[in-house]
Amino acid sequence: MIIITQPSATEAQIDSIVARVHEFGLDAQISRGASRVIIGVIGAEDLVREKPLAAMPGVEAIVPVLKPYRLASYDARGKASAVAVGGIMIGATHDVALICGPCSVESEDQIVSIARKVKKMGAKLLRGGAFKPRTSPYSFQGLREDGLRYLAEARAQTGLPIITEIMDARDLPIVERYADCLQIGTRNMQNFTLLKEVGRSRLPVLLKRGFSATINDLIMSAEYILSEGNPNVLLCERGIRTFETATRYTLDLNAVPLLKSKTHLPVIVDPTHGIGLRDFVPRMSLASLAAGADALLIEVHDSPDLAKSDGEQAITPDTFADLVPRLRAVAQAVGRAL
Ligand code: PEP
Ligand code: MN
């Protein structure tokens, strides 16, 4: 940490700042410039309570040297991490994984039929919601354990590992019984109690960015999970709220290269929720891949117009079939493979 003093700071004030640094058990290295003094704090930065120090007379600014997310930061590993989801590696590999499925599991026939189709076209993982976070309490809330059972049946028939959302820590034992990966949805990205609970799970966690959360907020939420001992976190950009209303959200593809440089964690993009309009999902999927996504999460439904949730943004298996070769071409162009 570096402390920058005000040009008007007196010698007595500088002495007090240095004395305070010593009280924290740290050393201070003083450099005198033409108008300011720079105090370099040497030692474990987290011993310092930054706010009281920043409020001391004579202090202009405090610049932390270390990132607040020490486990998630790229430097913590010095290379990208791969996370295994039911045997499929995501991140730090040449391959980009396609994660597909309907927004909600609606019946056994529905999920098995979609799973079979997307698997044939190259999907590596199946995703469907059994516990649904809906804006209205009157909307379809999911089939709960029945939905999990149907997902497990689809996995048994196709071999696709399954990802499903958990909304409440009390459901963890039951979701863990069926799932290969836990999804934390956008609305729960800062549910710190839930993050700590899934941080103690043996399953990997797909953490979606809160639609009003900054990139740093997302990384700090990942840090909650990592700090509880679960090293298997996948970050997911899924669109944020902006002033734009022509699309459901604004897919922030800036987040992809940024997250990959700031952290070692795999980065997934969900272009479906990001734009929210099915006609444009293929194009934004291509863009997500070009931006460096390690996996894409795409909602696919046999009959989008009859879907119990998010039908307006789901693509059909036929559209997905048409998209896959184009994704392959883009993957190749950016040095990846599908
Ligand atoms: C979903 O994946 O269907 C979902 C509800 O996602 P999000 O939390 O990003 O809205
Ligand atoms: Mn959805």
Side-chain angles (χ1 to χ4, degrees):
M1 161 183 301
I2 293 160
I3 303 168
I4 303 164
T5 63
Q6 291 165 345
S8 60
T10 63
E11 282 305 314
Q13 288 172 339
I14 292 167
D15 288 347
S16 312
I17 297 165
V18 170
R20 181 66 59 85
V21 169
H22 289 153
E23 278 168 27
F24 288 123
L26 301 167
D27 281 337
Q29 200 168 58
I30 300 174
S31 317
R32 291 180 186 275
S35 62
R36 287 163 214 276
V37 171
I38 307 288
I39 304 168
V41 179
I42 324 280
E45 215 169 86
D46 45 356
L47 293 178
V48 180
R49 277 180 294 118
E50 191 178 318
K51 289 210 171 114
L53 202 59
M56 286 187 76
V59 173
E60 181 161 292
I62 293 196
V63 184
V65 174
L66 297 179
K67 299 201 173 67
Y69 41 86
R70 65 199 62 155
L71 298 172
S73 89
Y74 187 88
D75 298 337
R77 290 205 76 228
K79 59 179 182 166
S81 297
V83 170
V85 179
I88 302 293
M89 300 305 281
I90 301 178
T93 74
H94 194 53
D95 291 342
V96 177
L98 298 179
I99 306 168
C100 300
C103 182
S104 298
V105 179
E106 298 169 13
S107 68
E108 183 173 324
D109 284 351
Q110 175 240 21
I111 192 71
V112 170
S113 156
I114 295 172
R116 285 183 175 285
K117 289 177 187 161
V118 296
K119 155 107 190 216
K120 209 158 73 190
M121 296 157 193
K124 292 285 188 298
L125 298 118
L126 177 67
R127 205 231 35 161
F131 295 86
K132 292 306 302 176
R134 305 306 301 280
T135 301
S136 164
Y138 309 116
S139 301
F140 178 63
Q141 303 284 308
L143 296 179
R144 305 178 62 86
E145 189 169 3
D146 283 342
L148 297 173
R149 260 198 296 270
Y150 302 154
L151 278 166
E153 182 54 34
R155 173 179 53 203
Q157 294 198 28
T158 60
L160 294 176
I162 53 184
I163 303 177
T164 197
E165 179 160 357
I166 172 150
M167 289 165 45
D168 186 325
R170 288 170 295 188
D171 298 323
L172 190 54
I174 189 167
V175 178
E176 276 180 322
R177 208 174 303 148
Y178 296 93
D180 296 292
C181 178
L182 305 168
Q183 174 175 319
I184 300 286
T186 193
R187 294 159 187 83
N188 272 316
M189 189 206 81
Q190 286 189 315
N191 180 338
F192 300 117
T193 312
L194 182 58
L195 296 178
K196 284 188 191 172
E197 287 292 334
V198 300
R200 293 192 277 269
S201 172
R202 64 184 163 81
L203 292 179
V205 179
L206 189 164
L207 176 64
K208 289 189 132 192
R209 178 179 179 182
F211 54 64
S212 301
T214 64
I215 288 169
N216 257 41
D217 292 338
L218 172 61
I219 302 173
M220 290 310 295
S221 289
E223 190 78 12
Y224 262 90
I225 301 170
L226 298 169
S227 66
E228 290 295 325
N230 187 341
N232 297 314
V233 179
L234 305 136
L235 303 173
C236 181
E237 165 58 40
R238 50 76 71 207
I240 52 174
R241 281 241 159 103
T242 65
F243 53 79
E244 183 56 75
T245 55
T247 52
R248 187 175 181 195
Y249 295 97
T250 297
L251 188 64
D252 180 14
L253 288 181
N254 295 342
V256 181
L258 264 165
L259 287 170
K260 295 188 82 164
S261 72
K262 285 171 179 280
T263 83
H264 58 87
L265 302 171
V267 177
I268 297 174
V269 179
D270 168 358
T272 303
H273 289 82
I275 194 156
L277 301 164
R278 72 169 80 115
D279 286 351
F280 308 121
V281 167
R283 203 167 281 270
M284 294 311 289
S285 303
L286 297 166
S288 305
L289 191 45
D294 295 309
L296 301 180
L297 198 167
I298 301 174
E299 286 190 344
V300 178
H301 197 290
D302 269 329
S303 320
D305 293 336
L306 302 176
K308 292 203 168 158
S309 61
D310 285 353
E312 62 290 349
Q313 64 188 28
I315 60 172
T316 60
D318 283 349
T319 305
F320 181 63
D322 190 53
L323 173 62
V324 172
R326 293 156 69 205
L327 286 171
R328 258 193 202 115
V330 171
Q332 199 179 18
V334 297
R336 306 285 295 260
L338 273 187

